[in-house]
Amino acid sequence: MLGFGAIGRKFFGSSNDRQIKSFRARIPQINDLEPQMEALSDAALAAKTVEYRGRIKNGEKLDALLPEAFATVREAARRTLGQRHYDVQLIGGMILNSGRIAEMKTGEGKTLVATLAAYLNSLSGGPVHVVTVNDYLAQRDAAWMGQIYGFLGLTVGTIVHGLDDLQRREAYAADITYGTNNEFGFDYLRDNMKYSLEAMTQRGHSFAIVDEVDSILVDEARTPLIISGPTDDNSELYRTIDQFIPQLTEEDFEIDEKNRQVTLTEEGNERMEAVLGEAGLLEGSLYDTENVTIVHHVTQGLRAHKLFRRDTDYIVKQGKVVIIDEFTGRMMEGRRYSDGLHQALEAKENVQIQPENQTLASITFQNYFRLYDKLSGMTGTAVTEASEFMDIYALDVAEIPTNVPIAREDHDDEVYRTNDQKYLAIIELIKDCSERGQPVLVGTTSIEKSEMLAAALKKAKIPHNVLNARYHEQEAQIVAQAGVPGAVTIATNMAGRGTDIQLGGNADMRIALELEGLEDEAERAAKEAAIRTDIDTKKATALAAGGLYVVGTERHESRRIDKQLRGRSGRQGDPGASKFFLSLEDDLMRIFGSERMDAMLSKLGLREDEAIIHPWVSKALEKAQTKVEARNFDIRKNLLKYDDVMNDQRKAIFEQRIEMMSAEDLSEIIRDMRHQVVEDIVARHIPEKAYPEQWDTETLQTDVKQIFGIEADIPGWADEEGIADEEIRNRLTDAVDHKAAERALKFGSDVMRQVEKAVLLQTLDHDWREHLLTLDHLRQVVGLRGYGQRDPLNEYKTEAFQLFDSLLARLRERVTQALMHVQVNVEQPPAPELKEPENLRETHRDPTTGENEMLRADEADGPNPPAIARGTDRARINPTDPATWGKVPRNALCPCGSGKKYKHCHGRVATEVA
């Protein structure tokens, strides 16, 4: 029986159907323009760009230009790439232009679709960013689609890892810029650490198209982008606090071994407050906002003493604390615990304390991509996360119909009792497909499981390829050839995105790889024809065998990842099949009580080598996945709530910096700061409505001398008959203004302007970094407020606001003090040197592996000389023996001395044959 919702959809269509219908209504307008565009010469077609830009300047709206712009791009694509946009691709372009997410199945040509919206939006002159998941795709798409843009007179830039600032500025100056999400985000953070507008690389955030939008805005959104650098030396503070920890008794703290945490009890709080107060390190309560950093040091000291054991968790070797891996028992040289814990251990063991890294700038992808005036995205799988896209990014998802109906057969899951039985069944299926010439793609949930399956296939003597998602270009080459008859490819579920699996193999990729360096035109043409004929033959064989068979070795916790894997098969109406194999030992099966199910199946007489196959099992699994997805969404949403607090402050500070860099003269801002400092210190020492005998005029006099360098007889002023606090404030304001004017006259207004800008920017940056560190510490401490029935988020918001207020007050005071005391050599007018931070480290953790992706990018860049792997003894390198080379970066020159890159020489993709 149909529910009311299903009956409504049957009569009126779903909201998605109605959206697509409204976009489809504009297709005839574009198609009617096709003969007109075909009749134009190349020069006349290219001149359309200038015409459209002129019309936009005259007030015409982008939406009114859409039919003509799309028709122009379609004709340019036909002439340059030999590809004509399908009608459904035009719908995709309209969806992107409208600031929505276009869900398009694998092989439907998302890369080509993006050209429509990118071209149209570039006409208004704002920057257009096309965001990809890796450097290889950014370079490939920019070069490939750049032919269309170049033909129409637009410029294209590419942002990849390893570019210098000049190269980045040039790439961002282009009409359309391709790059990875990491690079765009880090460039934004780096720009806001620059000291002049000219040094900044990005030119705004007008329009972005995010490819694989679910991967970037959902999966990667769990971890922020962080730029860190060495902090000030806090070694003495670590040592001082370390002396107090052994004085605590068992009643002073509670240990939570499961979560590796230690917290002070009420007695412990009182004891620590007493000893820290005596040492002059603490005023007031330990948990006052201004003491957050002290609490952080105490907590890490406690953990070092009470949770971490020497010779079990770490050893002391040659005066250094070296971590021991809890799983392997091996020393992890060079690895350090984060967040000050390693420094606390060094203090405990009385060895030299190495400086910790401090966050200098950070941002989440959620907050970076919300900077864009208009945001859109495309992927093969977004509908399951539609509520998250709407909730966090205000992005609607539209599902675009395929150009040709899908012919893939999706089989029900097979569930076995044990993993061993599951893998035996998988290997039998792979063997059968391989013998029949049917290509197989096997998806695993982790690199370890893919390697385990590869070992089993090797034992069964089945040739196969393994994708480990480490080098994206090599990965794309393997994926492109995964449709060859009988090919067996093992991949982690996320690997190879952005590349189609074409039955018979990818002709263009084979031609580029096999004909590289071949100059003779006739020979090239003959070999190219032979490759295309070979691929056509292989495609016919693969089609006859049933197309690509996708095998899932377990269900992922997200339905979307399973759909991505399934979607690899059946591109453009090709036949194909998919099946998932599960066991009761899988992670997801354990979520809904696999032990009880195992006992029940045993009673029913299900043998270990038998499988359950029923649609109900698949539905039950889907419900379990839905629950896990909802939990993960809650985690991301909660993280975002905390980050939003910092984001509001970050935007305020970054906007202030840009205003300061833009201004020629900051003297008015400096004057306002000076006056506010006078107000603040007077209010501090002469409270409102207090009697003169309650005024602390002596301390006020000391503060005035310290901050402004002015000798003022404030106690004498206070003795005057009938004087009020306002009169004292006015006298001080006149005095400091007079001194500031004298200094400006003495040093010259031009020099003073430069000094003011330098001092203001440097002090702002220093205080902002200290503020970020304090917020980090507050974030850890505030979770404990939940035990006192107080909402941690509200506590964090309140205290973060107070800290920001304190930051601004401290900034005003420090800038004023510096400018009232600074000495300038007038004979050599300085342009005060503003140095950007050095030894910066970029971090973005892969949410699935915990690895820093930016370290992987550094490895992949490789040096220009013939590459030798890190840690390899150069003296033992033999150019003729690859076994002596170690691990060579793919983009480096090959150690054999051929002069070619390693990826085009000895690193060329080869099939692993058992």
Side-chain angles (χ1 to χ4, degrees), residues 86 147 150 218 425 547 585 595 604 777 806 850:
Y86 303 129
Q147 296 172 66
V218 175
E585 295 170 358
E595 288 176 12
L604 292 172
H777 296 166
S806 303

Side-chain angles (χ1 to χ4, degrees), residues 841-902:
R841 181 183 174 192
E842 294 166 1
T843 307
H844 181 250
R845 300 261 170 221
D846 184 320
T848 52
T849 64
E851 276 188 319
N852 180 11
E853 292 178 329
M854 304 316 291
L855 290 181
R856 272 192 256 159
D858 284 330
E859 286 172 16
D861 280 344
N864 277 331
I868 308 303
R870 293 177 192 173
T872 307
D873 185 351
R874 289 178 176 272
R876 295 183 186 171
I877 296 297
N878 179 355
T880 61
D881 182 8
T884 66
W885 300 349
K887 188 170 184 177
V888 184
R890 288 186 45 70
N891 286 315
L893 295 179
C894 190
C896 74
S898 65
K900 292 183 182 179
K901 285 188 176 183
Y902 178 68

Side-chain angles (χ1 to χ4, degrees), residues 268-285:
N269 272 334
E270 288 172 11
R271 193 185 297 270
M272 281 309 291
E273 282 173 1
V275 293
L276 291 169
E278 285 173 21
L281 292 174
L282 188 74
E283 284 185 22
S285 165

